[in-house]
Amino acid sequence: MNMAILFAAITVLATTLGGYVALKSSDRFHLVLGLSAGLLLGLVGFDLLPEIFEMNTSDIGGIRSVSLAILVGFLSLHIIEGIFGSHEPAESDYGHDHEHHNIAGSLGALAMGGHVFLDGVGLGVAFKVSNSLGYAVFIAVLVHAFSDGLNTVSLMVKTGNWTKSSYRLLGVDAVARIGGASVGTYLVLNDSMLALYLALFSGFVIYLATSHILPEAHSRHSSRWTFFATVCGVVIMWGVVASLAH
């Protein structure tokens, strides 16, 4: 089995674990979310950005094309999430009166499948660049998979839409990530195009870490330990990237 597809399959376990933690209403998952955000930011800062700027030096209107792609990735996910309300922090006090909460159940959770698919594509593309980048992206996708499982289940429970059939949504999450990895693996792209996709993926990751995972981690349990967990995540990814570079 292809490495990217195999690792995408492994993330299914993380998604399931996240959903289990949400159902058990653990009071400590904010620390895991803080750690996850740090890992994601560390991946972008220490591995993805250096790689994409080295792979693609083209510019558009005097601006590096990969820089533009990063912003496009961030803003596109921001707009999509805003329309569907699919990534509002599960414990947030923001927007309880917003009408979009009426559709933030099944529709919002299903909309998460889109960025989950892009997770998988990013994993497949990363392995096409190098094994070390693929391993680093796998770690970030793994922790993001945990967050997705937690957020999907929390969202359904919070909006009163949780039923046994909602377990299928976790299945959608898993299939989307494996499908994305398959697509990413077999995409025929030159280095410049690979860099552009990884730049888009970086924008997605930055958005998820800063606009979803961190706000959720701090929504009701903000403390110095949450900040510490985030810093630990960054430091851990620093060590991972440095070890993979040798």
Side-chain angles (χ1 to χ4, degrees), residues 34-217:
L35 180 70
S36 299
L39 288 168
L40 293 174
L41 292 173
L43 167 73
V44 173
F46 301 138
D47 209 345
L48 280 176
L49 292 184
E51 190 75 46
I52 64 179
F53 278 102
E54 182 177 331
M55 292 173 62
N56 189 324
T57 58
S58 64
D59 64 80
I60 300 175
I63 301 296
R64 291 284 291 272
S65 58
V66 288
S67 298
L68 184 61
I70 293 169
L71 293 178
V72 169
F74 185 99
L75 292 174
S76 61
L77 192 54
H78 171 62
I79 292 169
I80 292 170
E81 299 289 356
I83 292 172
F84 291 106
S86 57
H87 245 89
E88 180 175 318
E91 291 193 338
S92 174
D93 291 324
Y94 310 143
H96 282 297
D97 298 326
H98 289 184
E99 292 184 2
H100 72 246
H101 254 313
N102 295 329
I103 65 167
S106 297
L107 181 60
L110 284 172
M112 290 173 63
H115 79 258
V116 168
F117 178 82
L118 295 174
D119 265 3
V121 176
L123 185 60
V125 169
F127 272 105
K128 289 172 73 72
V129 176
S130 69
N131 283 341
S132 61
L133 182 63
Y135 296 141
V137 170
F138 164 68
I139 293 172
V141 170
L142 189 69
V143 296
H144 182 210
F146 175 87
S147 173
D148 266 349
L150 187 153
N151 193 70
T152 300
V153 173
S154 296
L155 184 66
M156 298 302 294
V157 172
K158 179 180 179 181
T159 57
N161 293 315
W162 179 259
T163 63
K164 288 188 176 181
S165 65
S166 298
Y167 285 106
R168 296 173 186 171
L169 292 174
L170 294 179
V172 169
D173 184 292
V175 171
R177 189 171 280 113
I178 295 173
S182 300
V183 170
T185 296
Y186 296 106
L187 278 178
V188 179
L189 300 172
N190 58 31
D191 283 354
S192 292
M193 293 303 295
L194 287 174
L196 284 175
Y197 182 79
L198 288 175
L200 282 170
F201 181 70
S202 296
F204 300 149
V205 171
I206 294 170
Y207 175 82
L208 292 169
T210 60
S211 298
H212 163 56
I213 298 178
L214 281 177
E216 184 167 341

